[in-house]
């Protein structure tokens, strides 16, 4: 039976590991009449893996405008459509915004089916505060504009997450080093894949790592937040203290002085003006006795 109006489902798909797909996404992909995919061949492989056989239509940055008109007409005529991108969540540095915007305008139900996205995977694994963060997507390629972009990021009091292509990573790290050499950061590479790698350290250390071993695959940069109101020396110290290993050491040190773990976490968080949750996460491997597992 044809419905009055269709629904647009925003479906998150894996960013590497094919197991990272929700049961709900699989059900919706199996139920809709049409799947709009950034790369139909790539999505076909995913669908074949899950034995889902549905018509696919391409929806990518080069046909986003014209294809949106066509898809909105179908939605208006009662067709349910699932929107997927090559990896992760559609609309996050991927096509999707245009059809979502026009669907809302046309009062078509837009239903998010959440799942993987590299920004959240990297943010949570980096170990910096997650209570507030800013996602900056891909920065400019032009060196001068990139410098302005990184300068802007350097002043924000929130953890910053950036996407970067592997062949531009070293150049971007160099700009970060020039502007904020003491800012702890993490590079999360090939998340959920066989060669997953998370490198944490100061910009200089990370540059050394990737100079010795050229970055390959997809990567996300996560930068510790700027702490306003401190002198530049205090700023450097606070930023260094924010690394998960430094936080966990600080907790251990207090515990070595006879303070219980809970109180130690509270004291470290208060001393640095950061959330207890951040310190708790950094110290998660420390047992209540204060001796780390070998
Ligand atoms: N829509 C995707 C999402 O939700 O994350 C992002 C697509 S964007 C075109 C591709 C960028 O996302 C890559 O250049 C990289 O910065 C990041 N990315 C995607 N998958 C990744 C992975 N498995 N590991 C690390 N970064 C990844």
């Amino acid at each position: 039976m044809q419905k009055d109006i269709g629904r647009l489902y925003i479906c998150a798909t894996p960013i590497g590991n094919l197991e990272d797909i929700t049961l709900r996404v699989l059900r919706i992909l199996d139920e809709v009449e049409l799947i709009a995919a950034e790369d139909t061949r790539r999505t076909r492989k995913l669908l074949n893996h899950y034995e889902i056989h549905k018509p696919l239509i391409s929806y990518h940055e080069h046909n986003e405008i014209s294809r949106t008109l066509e898809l909105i007409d179908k939605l208006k005529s009662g067709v349910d459509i699932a929107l997927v991108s090559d990896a992760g969540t559609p609309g996050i540095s991927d096509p999707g915004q245009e059809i979502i915007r026009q669907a809302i305008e046309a009062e078509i139900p837009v239903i998010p089916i959440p799942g993987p996205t590299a920004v959240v995977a990297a943010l949570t694994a980096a170990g910096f505060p997650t209570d507030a963060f800013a996602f900056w997507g891909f920065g400019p390629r032009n060196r001068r504009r990139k410098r302005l972009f990184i300068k802007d990021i350097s002043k924000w009091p929130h953890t910053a997450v950036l996407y970067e292509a592997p062949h531009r990573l070293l150049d971007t790290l160099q700009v970060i080093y020039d502007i904020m050499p003491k800012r702890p950061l993490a590079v999360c590479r090939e998340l959920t894949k066989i060669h997953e790698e998370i490198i944490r350290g100061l910009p200089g250390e990370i540059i050394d790592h990737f100079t010795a071993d050229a970055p390959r695959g997809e990567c996300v940069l996560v930068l510790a937040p700027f702490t306003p109101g401190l002198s530049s020396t205090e700023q450097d110290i606070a930023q260094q203290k924010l690394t998960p290993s430094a936080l966990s050491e600080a907790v251990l040190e207090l515990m070595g002085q006879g303070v219980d773990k809970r109180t130690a976490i509270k004291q470290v968080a208060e001393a640095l003006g950061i959330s207890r949750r951040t310190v708790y996460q950094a110290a998660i491997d420390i047992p209540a006795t204060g001796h780390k597992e070998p």
Side-chain angles (χ1 to χ4, degrees):
M1 193 183 71
Q2 192 80 336
K3 293 179 297 315
D4 284 350
I5 194 160
R7 285 161 291 199
L8 176 65
Y9 294 95
I10 307 167
C11 295
T13 56
I15 57 169
N17 191 321
L18 284 187
E19 289 178 13
D20 293 333
I21 190 156
T22 70
L23 295 175
R24 188 167 172 227
V25 165
L26 291 176
R27 178 174 61 76
I28 295 295
L29 292 175
D30 205 23
E31 280 176 8
V32 292
E33 283 102 327
L34 184 63
I35 299 171
E38 188 179 2
D39 178 342
T40 51
R41 276 180 305 178
R42 197 170 161 152
T43 300
R44 177 70 65 206
K45 279 191 197 149
L46 178 76
L47 296 181
N48 285 344
H49 183 82
Y50 287 102
E51 295 177 9
I52 294 172
H53 307 288
K54 285 282 153 165
L56 284 161
I57 188 167
S58 71
Y59 180 84
H60 46 69
E61 61 175 332
H62 304 295
N63 70 1
E64 196 168 8
I65 303 290
S66 59
R67 199 37 70 78
T68 290
L69 297 174
E70 198 183 320
L71 295 178
I72 291 287
D73 277 348
K74 286 189 190 295
L75 286 159
K76 280 181 176 163
S77 69
V79 175
D80 284 340
I81 298 178
L83 176 68
V84 300
S85 63
D86 282 357
T89 303
I92 303 295
S93 298
D94 263 343
Q97 269 176 29
E98 189 55 26
I99 187 167
I100 292 164
R101 189 184 63 75
Q102 290 200 31
I104 294 165
E105 246 171 45
E107 297 186 9
I108 290 161
V110 173
I111 301 163
I113 319 286
T117 181
V119 48
V120 173
L123 170 74
T124 49
F128 301 129
T130 50
D131 39 4
F133 71 95
F135 174 53
W136 296 82
F138 286 100
R141 297 178 187 183
N142 169 284
R143 197 84 199 297
R144 195 184 62 80
R145 289 179 49 220
K146 190 189 280 190
R147 280 192 73 82
L148 294 174
F149 172 76
I150 298 291
K151 239 188 177 136
D152 201 8
I153 293 176
S154 74
K155 296 183 202 118
W156 276 66
H158 308 302
T159 299
V161 187
L162 283 75
Y163 284 170
E164 190 51 288
H167 57 282
R168 281 191 278 270
L169 181 69
L170 269 172
D171 184 62
T172 302
L173 285 170
Q174 189 59 50
V175 175
I176 291 172
Y177 177 79
D178 292 347
I179 293 170
M180 38 180 161
K182 297 285 171 60
R183 184 77 59 102
L185 71 124
V187 174
C188 306
R189 215 177 56 77
E190 294 285 83
L191 292 170
T192 79
K193 302 183 194 177
I194 295 168
H195 299 293
E196 177 177 280
E197 180 182 43
I198 302 177
I199 314 286
R200 301 179 183 87
L202 296 176
E205 295 165 346
I206 297 188
I207 290 175
D208 288 348
H209 174 91
F210 285 119
T211 305
D213 190 5
R216 279 184 297 268
E218 302 192 278
C219 42
V220 182
L221 278 151
V222 188
L223 292 153
F226 167 74
T227 316
L230 297 178
S231 70
S232 59
T233 318
E234 285 170 321
Q235 178 77 40
D236 291 349
I237 293 165
Q239 282 164 3
Q240 286 184 41
K241 281 183 179 163
L242 276 176
T243 62
S245 60
L247 292 174
S248 131
E249 283 306 315
V251 171
L252 264 179
E253 203 178 310
L254 284 172
M255 290 174 77
Q257 294 164 18
V259 178
D260 65 88
K261 183 176 174 187
R262 202 181 145 89
T263 313
I265 289 174
K266 181 170 167 267
Q267 287 181 358
V268 171
E270 280 172 4
L272 291 170
I274 57 176
S275 75
R276 278 185 216 175
R277 212 175 122 80
T278 303
V279 184
Y280 172 80
Q281 276 171 351
I284 205 145
D285 288 337
I286 304 177
T289 57
H291 301 291
K292 271 195 173 177
E293 298 296 331

